[in-house]
Amino acid sequence: MAITIKTPEQIEGVRKSSHLAAETLKYMEQFIKPGVKTIELDKICEDFVRSHGATPATKGYRGFKHSCCISVNEVICHGVPNETELQIGDIVNIDVTTILNGYFGDTCKMYFVGEPSDYARRLVDTTKECLRIGLEQCFPGNHLNNIGYHISEHAHKHGYSVVYEFCGHGVGLKFHEEPDVSHIADKNTGPILKPGMIFTIEPMINAGKARCKIDRKDGWTARTIDGKLSAQFEHTVLITETGFEALTDVYGEF
Ligand code: MF3
Ligand code: CO
Ligand code: CO
C-alpha cells in the first residue's frame, strides 16, 4: 500500500473532522481542574463529539473503550480514562480523534492543572516547539524523515529523549494509514512529500529515558520506564502546493 493522495473532496472532509477534533479539545479545557476525574473528562468529550454528528474514533478501536486518551505526568500516550482525580501540578495530555462523515481528524495537546513546576513547563514548551519544527519540514519535495530528524535534534539539544516506539501516521480515510511518521530519524531519508498527503505529527518527548512500558492491567497505558515526565502535541497536517495546512490548528497556535 502506498501513501494515498487525497482528492479535494476528501481533503474537505478531513478538514471538517479535524476542526471538530480541535474544537473538542478547546471545549474540554474549561473542565480541566483539580479534582476532576479523567473518566468525567472522557464523558464530556464523548457528548461533545456526538452532539456534533461525529463519533470518537478510539471508542471500540482494538478494544479501547473510551472517547479519548488522557495521559497524565509520566504517561507517554494511550492513557485510559479512569477514576483518577487531577491534582495541582499535573501535566495532562488529551488526545481526541473524530470520525465525521467517515473522515478522521486527530489532535492532542498538553494542559497544566494549576501552576506547573519550571521543570514541567520547560518540557511542555520544548515539546510544542518540536511539533512546530516538524511542521516547518512539511512542504512538497522534502523527505518525510526530515520531520523526525529536526524534531529529535531540538529535543536532544534540550537534554530530552524522543519516544521511538510510537509514531505519527497517515490519517483521513482511516485512523492509521501509511506512512509512519518517526519523530527520530535520519536526515534526507524516507518518502518524498507531495501535495494531498495527510498525516499526523505527534512527538512524545521524555524528560528522562526514551523507553516505555505498557501497563499490563489495561494493555494500553504507556509509561516512561523511569517514571519521569512525558509530553506530547499532535496535529493532522495536509501537504499543500506551497507547504502545509495544519488542519487541527483551528486557533492559530502554530
Ligand atoms: N489518537 C492516538 C494517535 O494519535 C491513537 C489512540 S489509539 C487508542 O494515534 F486506541 F489508544 F485510543
Ligand atoms: Co495520531
Ligand atoms: Co491522536
Side-chain angles (χ1 to χ4, degrees), residues 95 97 106 202 234:
D95 190 336
T97 312
D106 190 6
E202 48 182 298
E234 174 177 29

